[in-house]
Amino acid sequence: MHKTHRLVHAGLVTLLVAGLSACGGGTNGAAGHQTGDGRGAGGTGSGQDAPPQQDRVSGLRAGVRHLSRRTVQATRPHLVTTCTPATRQVKHTKRSGRSKKTWYTTEHYQDCHKTPQGTETYRRVIRPERWCVALDDVNGNKQRDNVWYRVTYPTYNQALGSDNHAPLRFTPMGTGC
């Protein structure tokens, strides 16, 4: 009885995993959810959404842009660990042949939990640092001009050092800036 129950359970789990993996597609497992740009699903930046896994793009350098990290000062509750001494009864059992002996002891321990005590200030990031490159004639398509891509710092540096309308080829981190 237990073997058939386990087999049925394993089969159901396998079907569930196969169904969920077929429906998924995003990099974080949620279908249609784009990560890494801070906009979430359905967000718009420059009107273009990048597929979850972007391929290499090529085109002519149209511009570069660096967006510095933006933070604001915020407050949150300051949590302090408070401990109080406490005791609990522990049951002990010893078997010897047919007889069983049971006794209880008192165990001392520290009952610790976090309690709010005032507030603290911290810097909350509202925009992460971004490096962007704009391309004209993306992948040879003369209609696609001035398309912005988020890139890594080394790619940004390479584009910054190149001339305007110089050919570039890189793998973007996402679209829009």
Side-chain angles (χ1 to χ4, degrees), residues 92-111:
H92 303 279
T93 305
K94 181 178 181 181
R95 292 185 181 267
S96 176
R98 291 177 156 242
S99 63
K100 178 172 98 174
K101 183 179 178 185
T102 303
W103 70 97
Y104 296 89
T105 59
T106 302
E107 181 180 273
H108 296 274
Y109 68 98
Q110 292 287 322
D111 183 20

Side-chain angles (χ1 to χ4, degrees), residues 59-66 131-136 145-151 155-156 158-166 168 170 177:
L60 305 177
R61 178 189 180 269
V64 292
R65 182 183 299 163
H66 173 245
W131 298 279
C132 304
V133 174
L135 293 180
D136 287 340
D145 286 343
N146 204 27
V147 179
W148 285 95
Y149 293 101
R150 283 190 328 278
V151 295
T155 304
Y156 168 81
Q158 175 191 2
L160 188 62
S162 64
D163 293 331
N164 203 18
H165 286 89
L168 294 175
F170 56 85
C177 192

